[in-house]
Each structure stands twice: as C-alpha cells, then as structure tokens.
Amino acid sequence: VQIIALNLFAMQPKVTPVDYVRPQIDTHKSRWFFFSSASRPFGMVSLSPDTWTEGSWNSGYLYNSKEIRCFSHVHCWQLAGVPVMPTTGEVKGHKGMDAYKSTYSHETEIVKPGYHKVELDTYQIRVELTSTSRVGMHRYTYPAGEKANVLFDVGALLAHGKTEKAAIHRISSKEIGGYSVLAPTSRRKKPVTVYFVARFNQNMTAFGGWEKEGKEKKLVHKNSIEGADIGGYASFGKLKKQTLLMKVGISYVSEEQARINLEKELAHWNFDRVKEDAFAEWNRELGKITVEGGSEEEKIKFYTDLWHSLLGRHTFSDFNGKYIDNTGEEPVVRQVPLDNGTPTRNTYNSDAFWGSEFNLNILWSIAYPKVMSEFVSTLVDYYTNGGMIARGPSGGNYTYVMVGDQATPLIAAAYNKGIRDFDIESAYQGCLKNSEPGGIRDYVGYKTNPGNFMQQYVDKGFVPEPTTKSPHAEGCAMTLYFAYEDWCMAQFAKGLEKEDVYRKYLQRSFNYRYVYDKQSGWMRPRTTDGSWMRNFSPIGKGFNMPGFVESNAAIFTYYVPHNIKDLIYLIGGNEAFVTKLNQQFELASQDNFISKHGEHAHNWIDYENQPSLHMAHLFSDAGAPWLTQYWVRRIKKEVFGDITPFGGYNGDEDQGQMGALGVLMAIGLFDVQGGASTTPQYEITSPIFDKITIQLDNRYYPGKEVVIETVNNSPKSVYIQRVSWNGVEHSSFQLAHEELVKGGHLVIELGDTPNKSWGVN
C-alpha cells in the first residue's frame, strides 16, 4: 500500500508557474490592452475574445458580459486589429457584430497564458486559441452537418476608433490576405496599417464579403474587396473533418511581411504543439523568479502579477527585424541591427513609462535585463528616426501621452546597472535634448505642438500654472517630474564621466524646493509672478487638483524620489515626516488606500494610480523602516490581494506596472530612486513567501541567482528582526545592486512586533 501511495504521489503533475496564473483577475472592467490570453511574452499577436469592441476603456474581454462579438489579434496601446468570428449557417457579417455575436459560459471556458478555450453556444462551436509571437493559431470544432464559416470583419470599428479603410482578398483555396488602416486617435495622431495573411488546413468552398452600397452593407461574391466598412468570409460547407485549423500572421509593414512571419514562426499545423510551446515559454520566463511557501492565493496573485509585467507592451518589429517608422511625412520601413542575418533585438509598441520608476524599471533590471535593454533601444530609435527619444510610442510614431520624460529614468537605470548593449551615444544625446527646451518635456497631454514649459522651468526654476490648460499641463507636477528627471540625467552623465553635465543637472534637480510651501507644509502651485496659487488645499475633488497630474498635493508632496532626505528636512525632520505620512496612510485606509478611477484628487494616498506608488516605502528613509514593512504588507494584501475577476488591480493596470509593483512588494525589494543612481540600492522590506529564488542573466550580471529566505514568516510576522547577506549580518535597510547581482543568500528573520533598532543606521 505504501509503495502504491508513493507511486501515485510521484505521478501527480508538477504545478508550474503557468498553472498559477489567472488571466481573468480583475477583468470585470477591462481596458482594451489589459487582457490578452493566447499570446507570448511581449508578443505582436495578443489574441483573445472580445465581448465589447468600442472604446479604450471597458472594452475587450469583460468578465460579466454574456456574449462574444469576435476574436481579435491585437490588444495593444492605441492599436487593434484583425477581428475574426467562426459561425455556422447563413453568413451575417454584413449585418454587424450584433447580428453574428454568440453567447458563451465561463463554465466551459479555460484561460491560461498562451491558450484560451471557449464554447460559442449560439453556434455550438468549440473555439481554441494559441499563438507564437507573430502568428495566431485557431482550432474550431464545428457541429456535424452545419455549414462552417469564418468571418473577417476587417473594416469594423475596433477599440480606439474607426477603421479608415480595409481590404481582403482570396489568394488560393486555403489562403486569404488583407489589411486594416486604423484611423488616427486623439493620442496616436497618424493612421497605422495592420496587415494579415490567414491560412487554413482545408479548402474553402466559397469566398466573399460585404461592402457598402449607399448606407447599407451588402454581401458580394468576388475575390477582392476594398474600401470602408468592408469585410470578408471563408466558407467550408459541411466539413468532412469537423475541426478547422487557421493560422493568422500579422505585420505592420506589409502583407508579404505578414506571410514571412507566418511561415518562419509557424510552418506546421500541430495546434497542441504550439500550445505546449507557449506554456513552455511562459514557464521559462515566469520561472526566472520562483517562490515557495505562502498561501495558494498569494502564489496565484504573484504569478499573475509577474505575467502582467511581461505581457502588456507588444513587439512591433517582424521576424526579420523590419518595422515601420511613422515619425516623418510618410511611413518608412526600417531594419533593426542584424547579427549573421538574425535580428539582435525586437522593437516595441508601448504606453508611456509614466511611473515605471517604481515598478518595471526595478523588476526588469533585476530579472529581465535583456527586456529592459530592448525597450531602451526602442525608445532611442525614435531619436535616430524622428529627432526625439519617445514617450509612449504607438504605431511607429510619438503619442505625447502623459507628461515629462520617462525615457531618461529608464535609460539611466539601465546604464548604471550595467545594461549597456544599446546605442549609448544616441541615448545620451537624446536624453540631453529631452532635458532642454524643445525636447519631449515641452510636449504635454497629447499635444503635437510644444509649449514653453521647459524655458520657464530653466528661467524661473519652476513651471507656473498655465493660463490655458490642456490635459496634464499642471505646473507643480511638471516641476517635480522635471527635477527628478534632471537628477536621472545627472546620474547618466556621471556614469559616463561627464562631470560638467552631471553638475549642471544635479543643481537643477533641487528645483522641487521652489514649489514647497513651508507655511502650509505641502508642494503648492505657483503663478507666473511667483506667488502661491490661491484657494489651495492638500486634497480636492475630481480628476486632479490644479497643479497636479491625476492627483493632488497630498500625494505629490512626496514626489522627490531622488532626494527623500532633503524632503524630510524640508518637512521638519524624521519625526515630523513620519507623523505626517503615517497620518495620511491612516486616513486613506478608510478608502482602501485608493481613489476611484478618474477621481484622483480626493484621497491622501492613491494606490490606484502611479504618483503614490512609492509612498509606503518612504518611512525607511526617515528612520522608521518598521512602518514601511507594516504598510507595504497591508497595501499588498488589501489593495492588490484579490484574485477574483472583480479586483486585484483596481482598474488601472498600465501595461504591467501594478503587476510589477505587486511582485516587488511580494519579494521584499524596492528602490525609491528607480535604480537611476550611479550606485543603485535596493530597499529591503518583508517578503510574503518563505523562499524566493531569482535567476540572474549572465549576459549582464556575474552571479547565478539570488535566494531570499524568510524565518518565522506568517501573516502576522510582518516586521524584520534581523537580516544577513551571504552569512554576514546586514544592519542596513539597503542592499547595493552591485552586491545583489553577484548572487547570494539574503536571510530575513521576521516577527510580530517591530524591531526599531534594525535598519535605522
């Protein structure tokens, strides 16, 4: 009996990181780019069902929706494309998605990284989806005796806006191709074309589509259709083999490039092999950080968080390294560097890195330095191609989303952590340009014409409140962002041994002092003549207070990440600082430490949005690391602990940022300065797991792995009692990046009462 029991135990399948990921967490109010199931890490294809297809917010896969409208291949920052839908019987594509949508049930649904299975109840079709990086693969199992169709609604409105023009044409009995021209949006100012080639494993019995005649759309039976509001279909009659396979390659360059992507990445028809390959790739990437101990719920949230940090920003270059540069008058095909004919890297589409100094910059630089390097190169390519390092590029062009210059903190962090396989000279020159008038900082809130914000900042030391407002043009916040970005520029220059440039920007990095009002104790907007803005209070109502981007003075007062010690001095010293900040956390706890999305002015702390994501970690700098330990643990559990479809990210997961923050809180490492210092330091907090193992990339770092082990870990034991690093007692709350990447063993002993003597020196 004992031998049988042991054999049964040995036969139990090993639980992998993929098994812990729950993509449906917090999908009840999804953003278009929030959810993509059948995709690879940073894949060009982000294939998943769409229950709603209009709008950037509350679109894509919404958990409470009862109907699927299509399965589209692109869920990306300001990009969408190639919606398809299998149906039976009469072709209803010309009648729109309301006519051909299908009910479905979560009871028959399986959702995992790289795979999605769902039953279309209206048609009794089983749909299975998987992908490579640039090719979506579909497996449809149709009911016997029914006419099988696949609709391509390539001219439909999808997500961010209308489709200007589309085309679809029959290439052979098993292949079709086409494109969709995505109309400009308020953020992406130029059209972008998504090309596709779809290939089937069975012969079509009919091909056709629909086009507009007057105000109505009519079915047409011809081999090529082009224009506005058009679409196409492939029919297969009553299938002898009820399972139909389809491969869809996409590209932003050309139809021929889409075909190259398809043929190079997916030459075979083995769906299960692609699915297993997807699982293997996700396990390989997610497995770079492994955790032991903790609850099942904590493991589920951890690996889902890590999945998000490797999901939301998408490959934009093709298999052979070609990509579209849309920064000029006309689109230009560019080529990433090759090594013996193979691209050395990808280039990416990406939302802004607004706030990523508190999450992605830290996490990627520890466990995924190659990813960080490729994103740096992508942003720097825009300097080479278009004259400025980008902030939130989409479709090969600038979007000018948000405010400031988030590229410089990312680049400085990469360089000063030893990630240097990018064009350093172009990066340096581009960062210099962005740090002066006429650079990216002057482009605010999606405006394509620069303002004079930087000139005022240089002349006055601060940005006064503009007399005419555009989105995010808030002077006090800009002053604080520019000061931090100046410090990052100084650190980049220092790392390059450019002493004069270092000193110039270091001096400018103190400009936050111009907007600190000692009398009120808060950062406060100034007007053009230098006087304080009247009718001021630390919190308010609505989207933001005047002067602050999606936030208020109570939060932005602490946005001096590069010089918290000086901020503590301004506020009155350690005791005054700790008392003030702790009171804000106590007040914010009544609202679960968040504001409702779009109402960011009203709370004292707001872990729903980027500006306050570092605040729980600030007590350590003021000599009270036990309060950092306490509040980080509470925030991790109460704000980010939900693993249901109705919570966990609080509605604003900006392409992996909240996920990456959750990972850092779980493993007990952070860096308020965002890693940009020439001597980066990680701040130690109390991990939620018994053991964490981080693999180090030997292309960048000398060590093999970092093991973080806790002693006496429990939900109540949140306070650090003592720490050792490689067997030597470690009394500081900081650990140097240089030491960490050599590899080693960090042991953290925890208890249920604060040890107020650890970490205060």
Side-chain angles (χ1 to χ4, degrees):
V1 174
Q2 187 178 14
I3 293 172
I4 293 172
L6 287 171
N7 285 340
L8 287 173
F9 180 77
M11 290 171 62
Q12 294 295 317
K14 181 182 177 182
V15 179
T16 68
V18 161
D19 297 319
Y20 282 114
V21 176
R22 291 194 182 172
Q24 290 159 305
I25 291 176
D26 209 357
T27 52
H28 71 299
K29 293 180 69 176
S30 283
R31 199 171 176 179
W32 180 256
F33 58 53
F34 176 82
F35 181 88
S36 57
S37 46
S39 61
R40 298 291 182 101
F42 304 107
M44 178 181 285
V45 162
S46 44
L47 175 60
S48 59
D50 295 317
T51 64
W52 190 248
T53 52
E54 295 184 21
S56 295
W57 293 86
N58 294 323
S59 61
Y61 181 87
L62 304 175
Y63 187 82
N64 285 336
S65 297
K66 301 183 186 305
E67 297 165 324
I68 290 173
R69 302 170 71 82
C70 65
F71 302 89
S72 59
H73 290 74
V74 179
H75 295 85
C76 197
W77 163 242
Q78 292 298 298
L79 299 178
V82 199
V84 303
M85 185 68 170
T87 68
T88 59
E90 176 191 356
V91 172
K92 298 179 181 179
H94 60 299
K95 297 179 180 179
M97 292 182 185
D98 283 334
Y100 63 71
K101 65 188 178 183
S102 172
T103 58
Y104 78 107
S105 169
H106 295 304
E107 292 181 4
T108 57
E109 192 176 25
I110 298 174
V111 189
K112 302 178 77 171
Y115 178 67
H116 201 130
K117 175 185 174 183
V118 66
E119 302 278 345
L120 297 180
D121 295 335
T122 301
Y123 304 107
Q124 298 297 301
I125 300 172
R126 179 187 303 149
V127 174
E128 295 174 271
L129 311 171
T130 189
S131 74
T132 66
S133 180
R134 298 171 179 86
V135 184
M137 192 170 190
H138 306 238
R139 181 161 65 186
Y140 304 143
T141 303
Y142 290 86
E146 294 283 348
K147 175 188 173 187
N149 312 305
V150 182
L151 309 182
F152 291 77
D153 208 345
V154 292
L157 185 153
L158 204 60
H160 318 288
K162 292 183 177 180
T163 300
E164 278 188 353
K165 181 183 178 182
I168 188 167
H169 61 107
R170 182 182 183 275
I171 298 169
S172 71
S173 63
K174 292 184 177 180
E175 186 173 303
I176 63 176
Y179 65 81
S180 299
V181 181
L182 308 179
T185 70
S186 61
R187 301 180 179 189
R188 174 180 46 76
K189 304 296 185 180
K190 294 182 179 181
V192 176
T193 303
V194 183
Y195 299 90
F196 72 93
V197 169
R199 193 171 289 172
F200 306 100
N201 72 331
Q202 299 189 50
N203 289 318
M204 292 179 279
T205 58
F207 173 85
W210 53 91
E211 60 187 11
K212 259 192 169 180
E213 291 184 11
K215 294 183 179 181
E216 299 293 325
K217 285 188 281 188
K218 300 287 182 68
L219 286 177
V220 293
H221 302 284
K222 53 187 181 181
N223 286 332
S224 182
I225 306 159
E226 189 173 21
D229 297 318
I230 66 98
Y233 67 87
S235 289
F236 298 87
K238 297 177 182 179
L239 292 173
K240 294 179 181 179
K241 296 180 180 179
Q242 289 175 251
T243 298
L244 176 70
L245 296 176
M246 176 174 72
K247 300 185 289 191
V248 181
I250 68 170
S251 169
Y252 298 96
V253 176
S254 67
E255 185 178 311
E256 180 55 33
Q257 285 290 121
R259 182 175 289 103
I260 289 171
N261 289 340
L262 189 156
E263 292 177 345
K264 294 294 185 180
E265 287 196 353
L266 188 48
H268 63 81
W269 286 99
N270 190 329
F271 182 93
D272 290 325
R273 177 177 154 192
V274 179
K275 179 180 71 172
E276 293 303 318
D277 286 348
F279 291 163
E281 183 174 357
W282 276 114
N283 278 324
R284 185 166 59 251
E285 295 304 310
L286 296 171
K288 289 178 179 176
I289 306 180
T290 58
V291 296
E292 300 174 36
S295 67
E296 285 298 292
E297 290 79 8
E298 287 170 335
K299 288 178 181 175
I300 287 167
K301 191 55 166 57
F302 176 82
Y303 282 111
T304 305
D305 283 345
L306 190 56
W307 175 69
H308 273 281
S309 75
L310 302 173
L311 177 73
R313 298 162 194 265
H314 297 280
T315 298
F316 192 65
S317 53
D318 290 331
F319 181 87
N320 56 13
K322 294 186 184 299
Y323 69 96
I324 280 292
D325 165 20
N326 208 9
T327 59
E329 292 296 322
E330 297 291 336
V332 176
V333 179
R334 304 284 188 187
Q335 174 73 58
V336 301
L338 301 173
D339 181 10
N340 292 323
T342 300
T344 57
R345 59 175 172 86
N346 292 321
T347 189
Y348 297 95
N349 198 86
S350 176
D351 193 0
F353 284 85
W354 185 68
S356 67
E357 61 269 25
F358 302 135
N359 39 73
L360 294 175
N361 295 13
I362 306 168
L363 176 62
W364 286 353
S365 63
I366 298 172
Y368 303 96
K370 180 61 175 174
V371 167
M372 193 166 185
S373 172
E374 291 192 346
F375 274 95
V376 168
S377 290
T378 294
L379 299 178
V380 173
D381 280 342
Y382 281 80
Y383 174 69
T384 305
N385 298 336
M388 283 191 300
I389 294 180
R391 182 184 73 217
S394 182
N397 193 25
Y398 304 96
T399 64
Y400 307 114
V401 60
M402 300 312 299
V403 63
D405 170 25
Q406 291 90 53
T408 296
L410 179 75
I411 293 167
Y415 184 83
N416 286 331
K417 288 189 174 186
I419 304 167
R420 299 177 179 178
D421 52 342
F422 54 88
D423 185 343
I424 293 170
E425 181 59 24
S426 292
Y428 174 68
Q429 294 299 332
C431 287
L432 277 179
K433 180 172 182 179
N434 278 359
S435 300
E436 293 297 325
I440 199 77
R441 295 187 195 177
D442 273 332
Y443 294 80
V444 173
Y446 322 119
K447 297 291 186 180
T448 56
N449 296 319
N452 66 336
F453 308 111
M454 274 303 296
Q455 192 61 59
Q456 294 179 89
Y457 176 78
V458 171
D459 293 342
K460 299 174 182 290
F462 65 92
V463 182
E465 291 311 298
T467 54
T468 58
K469 285 288 183 74
S470 61
H472 302 135
E474 306 292 346
C476 192
M478 281 193 274
T479 302
L480 295 167
Y481 281 131
F482 295 172
Y484 170 62
E485 290 153 9
D486 280 342
W487 179 81
C488 293
M489 184 68 244
Q491 298 302 302
F492 189 21
K494 185 178 182 182
L496 291 167
E497 299 182 344
K498 298 179 184 293
E499 188 69 18
D500 290 345
V501 176
Y502 162 67
R503 292 186 178 279
K504 172 185 175 179
Y505 289 102
L506 181 66
Q507 181 177 356
R508 242 172 52 177
S509 76
F510 283 86
N511 281 355
Y512 58 85
R513 289 182 172 185
Y514 285 106
V515 291
Y516 180 73
D517 176 16
K518 186 175 182 179
Q519 185 173 357
S520 70
W522 304 102
M523 297 294 177
R524 183 173 178 179
R526 288 184 179 272
T527 60
T528 302
D529 65 6
S531 60
W532 296 115
M533 190 181 71
R534 297 180 180 180
N535 302 319
F536 171 80
S537 64
I539 64 172
K541 296 180 179 180
F543 191 56
N544 55 249
M545 283 178 55
F548 302 98
V549 177
E550 298 185 13
S551 192
N552 56 31
I555 289 167
F556 263 100
T557 291
Y558 299 91
Y559 194 86
V560 189
H562 55 295
N563 205 344
I564 294 299
K565 290 293 187 184
D566 190 46
L567 178 64
I568 292 168
Y569 166 77
L570 292 175
I571 287 175
N574 283 352
E575 185 177 349
F577 181 89
V578 168
T579 299
K580 182 186 183 80
L581 183 58
N582 197 60
Q583 183 181 35
Q584 288 185 225
F585 272 91
E586 294 286 2
L587 290 169
S589 68
Q590 301 168 32
D591 290 320
N592 198 39
F593 308 100
I594 63 173
S595 299
K596 292 181 181 179
H597 190 73
E599 300 178 18
H600 302 294
H602 97 278
N603 211 346
W604 297 93
I605 304 287
D606 183 12
Y607 271 85
E608 199 270 352
N609 212 12
Q610 281 87 334
S612 73
L613 297 185
H614 63 310
M615 290 178 68
H617 290 85
L618 298 180
F619 295 99
S620 295
D621 276 296
W626 62 90
L627 283 173
T628 284
Q629 296 150 28
Y630 171 77
W631 288 117
V632 167
R633 278 289 194 106
R634 279 197 64 179
I635 297 297
K636 180 70 180 79
K637 181 178 179 180
E638 297 175 29
V639 182
F640 300 115
D642 197 335
I643 61 169
T644 74
F646 307 102
Y649 298 101
N650 307 295
D652 192 17
E653 164 61 309
D654 273 336
Q655 294 190 305
Q657 289 201 35
M658 298 303 180
L661 177 67
V663 170
L664 294 169
M665 287 181 160
I667 67 176
L669 296 176
F670 198 71
D671 183 352
V672 168
Q673 294 184 324
S677 170
T678 54
T679 55
Q681 304 282 332
Y682 296 106
E683 294 131 30
I684 302 168
T685 61
S686 52
I688 66 174
F689 297 107
D690 298 341
K691 185 178 180 182
I692 300 132
T693 304
I694 306 169
Q695 296 179 20
L696 296 173
D697 189 335
N698 292 141
R699 291 173 292 184
Y700 300 90
Y701 302 139
K704 178 183 178 183
E705 63 182 21
V706 176
V707 176
I708 303 171
E709 192 170 356
T710 57
V711 179
N712 300 327
N713 190 18
S714 74
K716 292 183 179 180
S717 296
V718 304
Y719 298 108
I720 295 176
Q721 306 300 303
R722 58 183 56 86
V723 173
S724 68
W725 171 246
N726 289 333
V728 178
E729 187 171 352
H730 190 81
S731 59
S732 172
F733 73 92
Q734 294 179 315
L735 178 64
H737 170 80
E738 183 181 19
E739 285 298 309
L740 184 111
V741 298
K742 292 176 183 176
H745 192 191
L746 185 69
V747 179
I748 303 173
E749 184 178 329
L750 301 173
D752 58 6
T753 57
N755 176 3
K756 295 186 179 181
S757 64
W758 180 84
V760 297
N761 57 342

